[in-house]
Amino acid sequence: MTFDSQSPDQRLPVGQEQPGTNGAAVLELLLATLGVDTLMLALPYTQLARFLGFSPLPPLFLVIPGGILVLYVLTAELTKRVFYQHMQGAAAHW
């Protein structure tokens, strides 16, 4: 992050990178998250589930939270894009 040294107001970053845009780190985090999620969702359907006292969830219980999660991610991404467009427009006025 850099700051415009000519500006009297040093609180507004100029040319700031958007957080979470480092491709390699984002991909690694995404793959790790998906891997853990897959293991946790599959665990009740394995032989280990009996030993742990787990039972499979009804399919509808998996579909509804999955849909909510997809809507959440889409809404968060849209909100982030609108926010950064607004911030870039505000930075242009300084």
Side-chain angles (χ1 to χ4, degrees):
M1 172 174 17
T2 60
F3 291 91
D4 183 4
S5 61
Q6 304 301 317
S7 173
D9 185 1
Q10 294 296 314
R11 294 176 294 167
L12 185 64
V14 177
Q16 178 181 4
E17 285 187 34
Q18 294 181 10
T21 57
N22 179 352
V26 170
L27 180 61
E28 289 174 5
L29 182 60
L30 177 64
L31 291 175
T33 301
L34 290 175
V36 170
D37 290 348
T38 301
L39 287 174
M40 293 302 107
L41 285 173
L43 188 59
Y45 302 97
T46 65
Q47 295 298 322
L48 187 58
R50 247 186 264 155
F51 175 73
L52 297 173
F54 292 166
S55 61
L57 296 168
L60 189 59
F61 186 78
L62 298 175
V63 171
I64 291 174
I68 292 171
L69 178 64
V70 168
L71 290 174
Y72 168 76
V73 169
L74 292 174
T75 303
E77 186 63 28
L78 178 64
T79 302
K80 183 175 71 170
R81 288 175 190 243
V82 169
F83 173 77
Y84 280 113
Q85 286 176 355
H86 174 74
M87 290 305 293
Q88 286 176 350
H93 295 295
W94 286 86

